[in-house]
């Protein structure tokens, strides 16, 4: 089982759907056929590719073949992806910090523009709302 065969097996959306089904629990071929909406021969071909790549195991249960995920190849893929996950996490954290800085700068600029827009002798809406101090005209 090579990395290339794992990636090739997972490249097909039908095979990824089968892997997702088997993630829940082992299933007989009939259930996989029904859940995927594929023909039985087509489903069997996809299962063979997954089996050849080492992603699934099959066991005979009376007249049925029951397929289950083999976690070892998935763990190998996860280990291979770990440095890339770290890279993306670092990049997304930096993006989050930049967006926070931009939002803070925008809020500060908006507040400064509001104060500047209020002419001398006029009151802002916030000051108009404060009625506890009588005006000199009273």
């Amino acid at each position: 089982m090579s990395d290339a065969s794992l990636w090739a097996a997972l490249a097909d959306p039908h095979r990824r759907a089968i892997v997702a089904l088997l993630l829940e629990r082992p299933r007989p071929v009939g259930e996989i056929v029904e859940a995927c909406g594929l023909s039985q021969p087509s489903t069997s071909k996809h299962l063979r590719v997954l089996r050849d790549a080492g992603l699934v195991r099959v066991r005979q249960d009376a007249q049925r073949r029951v397929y289950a995920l083999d976690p070892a190849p998935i763990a190998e893929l996860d280990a291979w992806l770990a440095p890339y996950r770290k890279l993306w996490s670092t990049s997304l954290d930096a993006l989050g910090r930049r967006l926070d800085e931009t939002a803070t700068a925008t809020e500060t600029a908006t507040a400064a523009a509001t104060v500047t827009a209020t002419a001398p002798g006029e009151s802002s809406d916030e000051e108009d709302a404060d009625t506890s101090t009588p005006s000199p005209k009273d």
Side-chain angles (χ1 to χ4, degrees):
M1 140 183 70
S2 70
D3 287 345
S5 66
L6 291 175
W7 290 112
L10 293 171
D12 185 277
H14 292 110
R15 290 192 286 267
R16 288 193 306 271
I18 292 170
V19 168
L21 282 171
L22 296 176
L23 181 62
E24 296 170 7
R25 62 180 169 79
R27 295 175 187 263
V29 175
E31 278 187 35
I32 298 169
V33 167
E34 187 177 316
C36 290
L38 299 171
S39 68
Q40 197 281 330
S42 179
T43 301
S44 291
K45 287 178 185 178
H46 287 301
L47 287 167
R48 185 176 60 239
V49 171
L50 291 170
R51 189 178 62 238
D52 290 347
L55 287 162
V56 298
R57 294 177 285 193
V58 62
R59 68 176 167 82
Q60 195 74 29
D61 181 26
Q63 299 292 359
R64 307 182 312 167
R65 288 178 173 242
V66 178
Y67 284 83
L69 273 183
D70 185 345
I74 303 293
E76 290 175 26
L77 291 176
D78 183 56
W80 186 86
L81 288 169
Y84 299 96
R85 193 176 303 112
K86 183 179 177 184
L87 170 72
W88 277 107
S89 179
T90 301
S91 297
L92 290 173
D93 288 346
L95 175 61
R97 285 190 301 276
R98 178 67 177 132
L99 291 173
D100 289 343
E101 291 167 3
T102 302
T104 302
T106 301
E107 290 169 3
T108 302
T110 302
T114 302
V115 170
T116 305
T118 306
E122 293 182 11
S123 62
S124 69
D125 291 339
E126 290 176 3
E127 292 171 348
D128 290 341
D130 184 12
T131 57
S132 60
T133 308
S135 67
K137 297 177 188 174
D138 288 339

